Amino acid sequence: MSIVEQQVTRQQEEIDTLKQKLLGLEADILVKQQALNKVAIQEQEIILLKEIVLEKEKWREQANGLSQDNDHLRQVNEDLIIENRRQRQVIAELEENMMLMSTILDLRTTELEQEKKNKLHLKRKLRVLSTAEETPECHGRFKRQSLKDCPRCHAEVSSTNLCKYHPKTPVKLDGTYFFPCCGQSGKSEPEGCQSSGQHFMVFGT
């Protein structure tokens, strides 16, 4: 084999060697490219996981905030229940006081009505007491059995007893007779408040 052929063969071998190296480099590049792609995918996954972690922290903070709000609302609800019970107790006490005041008012009204009646009764007595003295024989208020009866004390004229009589006309109040001259009262005439040594004799009814 000639020198030229040897050189050609040698160069051809070198070219084949370079081709083999080039193929190896291409294979290495492809492997590295796949590795880079995997790394990129993993980086994307890491970024996504970081975002998920941040979102999780955010949701955790929101959950904590909602839990605190819930606790606050529960406390407010309990406070409102206690206040409601207290207000009901106050209302019950006020209603009881109102009933008591109503009873007192009714009693007071009854007392006032009785006081009005008593006042009217006293006015009548005062009006009677303020009138001039009148002798009972002027009105003939008590019917005599005969002319022998004293019209003032209703005893027999022949009696030696003193003549005890009421100088003022009686007033009939509530079914009883009230005598303004002495303040005595009764369904029948009580003993007179004044006396005389002689019985009074008058011809009348």
Side-chain angles (χ1 to χ4, degrees):
M1 180 179 295
S2 64
I3 296 172
V4 175
E5 289 177 351
Q6 290 178 354
Q7 290 179 350
V8 170
T9 301
R10 193 180 306 113
Q11 289 180 352
Q12 186 65 42
E13 290 177 354
E14 291 179 356
I15 290 171
D16 291 336
T17 303
L18 291 173
K19 285 182 178 181
Q20 291 294 327
K21 288 182 179 181
L22 182 60
L23 291 174
L25 289 173
E26 289 179 351
D28 291 339
I29 292 171
L30 182 60
V31 171
K32 290 180 180 181
Q33 187 66 37
Q34 290 178 354
L36 289 174
N37 290 336
K38 288 182 179 180
V39 169
I41 292 172
Q42 289 179 355
E43 288 179 350
Q44 291 294 329
E45 291 178 352
I46 290 171
I47 293 171
L48 183 61
L49 288 174
K50 287 182 178 180
E51 291 178 354
I52 291 173
V53 169
L54 292 175
E55 241 1 87
K56 185 177 180 181
E57 291 296 328
K58 187 188 296 182
W59 283 109
R60 184 180 289 111
E61 291 177 358
Q62 291 182 358
N64 292 332
L66 290 175
S67 179
Q68 293 177 358
D69 293 340
N70 189 27
D71 294 338
H72 177 68
L73 290 175
R74 185 181 295 108
Q75 184 64 40
V76 170
N77 186 36
E78 292 178 357
D79 294 339
L80 289 175
I81 291 174
I82 295 173
E83 182 66 19
N84 186 24
R85 291 176 180 173
R86 190 183 69 82
Q87 291 293 336
R88 287 186 177 182
Q89 184 177 0
V90 171
I91 291 172
E93 291 176 356
L94 289 175
E95 289 179 348
E96 185 177 355
N97 291 334
M98 287 179 63
M99 291 179 65
L100 180 60
M101 293 299 295
S102 178
T103 303
I104 294 174
L105 181 60
D106 292 339
L107 292 175
R108 186 57 180 166
T109 303
T110 304
E111 290 178 357
L112 288 175
E113 291 295 331
Q114 187 63 37
E115 288 293 331
K116 288 181 180 179
K117 291 180 181 179
N118 294 338
K119 187 177 180 181
L120 181 61
H121 184 69
L122 291 175
K123 282 184 177 179
R124 290 177 180 174
K125 287 184 178 181
L126 183 61
R127 186 167 57 250
V128 171
L129 292 172
S130 63
T131 57
E133 291 188 356
E134 297 177 350
T135 57
E137 59 269 24
C138 296
H139 295 277
R141 65 178 182 271
F142 298 106
K143 187 175 181 180
R144 296 185 298 278
Q145 297 293 329
S146 67
L147 296 178
K148 294 181 179 181
D149 294 341
C150 178
R152 293 189 300 192
C153 66
H154 314 295
E156 291 184 3
V157 176
S158 61
S159 174
T160 58
N161 294 332
L162 292 176
C163 179
K164 293 184 179 182
Y165 64 94
H166 296 283
K168 286 190 177 182
T169 305
V171 179
K172 190 173 183 180
L173 295 173
D174 299 329
T176 61
Y177 288 99
F178 172 75
F179 291 85
C181 52
C182 59
Q184 297 185 71
S185 62
K187 292 186 177 180
S188 60
E189 183 177 6
E191 185 178 7
C193 59
Q194 291 191 14
S195 62
S196 174
Q198 295 181 354
H199 292 286
F200 187 77
M201 185 64 183
V202 63
F203 292 94
T205 58

